[in-house]
Amino acid sequence: MSPASDSARVTSLASGDDLDRVLPLLAELTGAEPDLRLAFHSVELAAIGDFLVIAGPAEERAKYAHASATVVVEDLDALALTLEAADATVTTPTTSGPTGRFLYARHADGAEVEYVEWTPEVIRRVIHR
């Protein structure tokens, strides 16, 4: 099993503080409705097409702005070993969230990426629908 799955399709897009204002345009652009919509700490998240929309107060969204992308992986533990071997630095250790587990890592070139291992239920709902 490769550490990164071929379903790495969600990228970050910071929005304003009202998710309902952002989603209609993205639904029109993607031809889809949100695959996921949930609250996480003080922000609200929606995955729609290739976008991960982060909505909430600016100071709360800023906590996630350091990541240049969000990548869905099959095995977060295997990915952590790959990152270590590539001299990446884990900046947020593996943490559980509403869709599974995630970590943030800064690559040797300075890019910071959020890696997410979704639960089987989320994978079935989003990837294998």
Side-chain angles (χ1 to χ4, degrees), residues 22-124:
V22 175
L23 289 179
L25 173 60
L26 293 178
E28 185 174 340
L29 292 172
T30 63
E33 292 300 313
D35 294 308
L36 293 173
R37 186 167 178 175
L38 56 107
F40 183 68
H41 296 271
S42 299
V43 297
E44 191 175 8
L45 306 169
I48 181 169
D50 289 334
F51 299 101
L52 174 63
V53 184
I54 303 171
E59 62 276 5
E60 294 300 319
R61 289 192 328 265
K63 295 176 182 176
Y64 306 95
H66 60 285
S68 60
T70 299
V71 179
V72 178
V73 300
E74 293 177 355
D75 184 338
L76 201 60
D77 297 323
L79 173 80
L81 295 173
T82 301
L83 291 170
E84 182 181 329
D87 292 327
T89 302
V90 173
T91 57
T92 300
T94 300
T95 305
S96 292
T99 61
R101 302 182 313 147
F102 65 93
L103 65 78
Y104 284 83
R106 184 177 308 106
H107 295 198
D109 67 359
E112 188 148 354
V113 178
E114 175 189 30
Y115 291 97
V116 180
E117 178 187 297
W118 281 345
T119 65
E121 177 202 323
V122 172
I123 290 171
R124 279 191 302 277

